[in-house]
Amino acid sequence: MPQISSPTDWQETFDALTTLDATSSLGAEDLDALGEAAWWLRRIPECIAARERAFAAYLDGDRPREAALVGLRLFYTLSVRGDGAIATGWLRRSARLLADLPEGVEHGELKLAEARVARDGGGFDAELARAQEATAIGRRFHDPDLVALGQYIEGRVLVKQGSVPDGMAILDDAMLAAVQGELGPMATGQVYCNVIAACQELGDLHRAGEWTEALRTWSESQPVSVFPGLCRVHRAEVMHLRGAWTEAEAEARRACAELTGVMPAFAAEANYEVGEVRRLLGDFADAEAAFRRASELGREPQPGLALVRLAQGRGDAAAAAVRSVLADEGNRLVRAKLLPAQVEIALAAGDLATAETAAGELEEIALEYGSPALDAAAGSARGTFDLARDDATQALVSLRRAWKLWQTLDCPFEAAEVRRLIGRACRVIGDDDGAELAIGRALAVFEQLGATYEAKRTAALLRGRAGTSGLTPREVEVLRLVAAGKSNREIADELTLSVKTVARHLENIFAKLGVSSRTAATALAYKLGVV
């Protein structure tokens, strides 16, 4: 098959072969080249059709090795498009063709495909074994692409299993081959994307950011392929954490447009990023819509959707959603993304036992993987829990350490959230100046980021005295009884008020806190330290 090396080559090859195909019968190599050009041009239906014909042509020419390689490319193309059953059929057909042939590079490609199947089934050991076999075959046949592709799978599996130094060393080796231009374009793009994904799973934000910029530079040379879209997903994730939300949303939305129908799994990630940005901006309706689109494309919408439910005052729904996902999730790094939300949701409901268990598990994961981002998340969770159990002094130890880590990682939103907690803890121990400074700085960051929902909540806390958020003493009494589950009649009886007066107090409370339900008022009052 001719080597295709640039967008101009892809377009010229596609146009020439398509024109020729209309007037004469293309041979196996030309059909193979047509399928390759169509893939790089994101013309997936044409790619699949050409490769199916190339497979048949190679078989007719008694060339089973070449046919098997085309079958494995069909497996990959159909897998990333979400057609798993058809993809598996092509994998099995290719395996049968290679079974009786002497070992070659194609057998290494088969091992890579088998590793992908093992990953989808959650089999880390099988995935690792197939990847190592692919790397060994690549070395025997001096194929740098095969070696690097096997290495990135091996490295990611080792990182997921907790062997972080060994895994990252292997990933760095694969990435070096890509950066030095030792690999073909397909292998280069795959290595870039997967190493960045491993860094993001681990919470290695600095390395993820550096490699993402390197991928952006490289993908600009592949403007019509899928790789610019994949890069946009990674860039959106990094920019979101850096607080560049407008740019992050723009990149994520472009990725949605470029990848939907081509690579649904990555389009799902892009939609999830849109949801996260809209949630942080306080646009809960658009956030929910984006999370639902991500779910339709196969991406778990939690914890983002659960945090939207919490903000909407639907704490029970939020708790149930996170609990359900955690019950079925065994990947420790994925659990680490869910546990901070479970701590927040559980504490809003007054469920200290669940919050403590989640915070403890998060600390264990952070210790196991040695990631600053996981360490910061664990410190935030532990400090929040300690503050909820009225140990403000101990809370400050964890919170101040977490704040410094988030600052070092250049995550302004997370740092501001922790600083607001520091302010609450300072108020509890009587350090009013420290409280005002910490809460005031958190408010400034939220306003700068455009986080209107959090800014409003923080402003209410700043205006308040001793954690009352601007509520009168009587309104605080009413809110505490609401948080305890009392009805208006029960509150009226306990405070010797009329039901009408209690209702008026509730209207004032809702207005001051910017909420519209008893559940939302309770959750917000807890987070602000009113209750």
Side-chain angles (χ1 to χ4, degrees), residues 310 315 341-352 355 384 388 457 483 519-527 531:
L310 180 64
Q342 186 173 47
V343 172
E344 180 177 352
I345 293 165
L347 289 178
D351 185 357
L352 294 181
T384 307
R457 298 163 67 178
T519 304
T522 300
L524 179 53
Y526 162 75
K527 193 160 189 176
V531 176

Side-chain angles (χ1 to χ4, degrees), residues 3 79 197 492:
Q3 180 64 41
S79 293

Side-chain angles (χ1 to χ4, degrees), residues 484-500:
K486 303 285 188 180
S487 67
N488 283 13
R489 168 55 64 187
E490 290 170 328
I491 295 171
D493 291 342
E494 185 160 336
L495 298 180
T496 318
L497 300 171
S498 69
V499 174
K500 185 176 181 179

Side-chain angles (χ1 to χ4, degrees), residues 471 475-484 509 513 521-522 525 530-531:
L471 303 180
E475 287 167 350
V476 171
E477 287 182 303
V478 171
L479 182 53
R480 284 173 178 157
L481 292 173
V482 168
I509 291 167
L513 297 182
T522 300
V530 175
V531 176

